[in-house]
Amino acid sequence: MNQHMEIDLYNSWRVVIGASRSINGCLNRIRPYEMDQNVPKWILFQYSLLRVDMFLHSMNLKFLRNGDYSITSEERQQLESVIKVYETIRDEYKSESNSPVSFIDLLSEQMMIIDEHYTNTIEVIKGF
C-alpha cells in the first residue's frame, strides 16, 4: 500500500471513530417511550448501529491480527458506507427534525452494503 493510500485510510478511520464516539449524544435525544408507532423504526435503528459497531470491531481485530491497514475492495465499500451512515445521522441530528426516526429509511441503502442480512431484518421488524 502506498503512503497516500495509508494516509487516506488513516483519516477515514479517524472520521469513523470520531463519529462512533459522538453517536451517544444523538441517541440521548431519542427517548423510546416517545416512539409510539415508530417503535419498529427505533428497533431497526438500534440494530443498524449494532451492525456498524460489529463491522468496526471486525476491522479492528483484522488490523490487530495482520498488523497493517490492508483491506479488500468490499471492506473499503463497507467502510465508506459506515461513514455515510454516521454522516446521515449527524446531519439529521443537526437539522433537529421533529421526528427522530424519520431518517432511518435513509440508512437502508448503506446498511445493505454493511450487512448482507439487512433486508431480511427489515422484514422481520415490520412484523412487530
Side-chain angles (χ1 to χ4, degrees):
M1 182 180 302
N2 69 36
Q3 185 178 9
H4 179 66
M5 289 176 63
E6 285 184 27
I7 290 170
D8 285 347
L9 188 56
Y10 176 75
N11 288 335
S12 295
W13 276 108
R14 288 180 55 205
V15 168
V16 169
I17 297 301
S20 180
R21 289 180 182 157
S22 68
I23 196 69
N24 287 331
C26 297
L27 289 176
N28 287 336
R29 282 186 55 207
I30 303 171
R31 293 174 177 76
Y33 61 84
E34 295 175 355
M35 292 293 126
D36 295 328
Q37 74 277 6
N38 290 319
V39 168
K41 287 189 182 262
W42 173 250
I43 293 169
L44 186 60
F45 182 56
Q46 289 177 315
Y47 173 82
S48 299
L49 293 178
L50 175 66
R51 294 302 298 160
V52 166
D53 283 345
M54 289 174 71
F55 170 74
L56 293 175
H57 181 70
S58 71
M59 293 301 293
N60 283 328
L61 288 177
K62 180 180 176 183
F63 169 74
L64 292 172
R65 190 172 41 249
N66 297 340
D68 66 14
Y69 286 114
S70 63
I71 61 174
T72 66
S73 60
E74 180 183 356
E75 290 168 334
R76 178 175 283 282
Q77 187 178 17
Q78 289 172 314
L79 184 58
E80 289 169 356
S81 292
V82 166
I83 293 169
K84 289 176 186 174
V85 163
Y86 282 134
E87 287 174 341
T88 301
I89 293 168
R90 181 202 61 216
D91 293 346
E92 287 300 314
Y93 173 75
K94 286 182 178 181
S95 76
E96 297 183 19
S97 67
N98 292 332
S99 176
V101 293
S102 63
F103 65 91
I104 293 172
D105 294 331
L106 300 174
L107 304 178
S108 293
E109 181 180 346
Q110 301 308 318
M111 287 307 304
M112 286 180 199
I113 294 170
I114 297 165
D115 177 18
E116 64 187 43
H117 304 292
Y118 196 76
T119 304
N120 295 336
T121 302
I122 290 172
E123 294 303 316
V124 169
I125 290 174
K126 282 182 183 178
F128 281 96

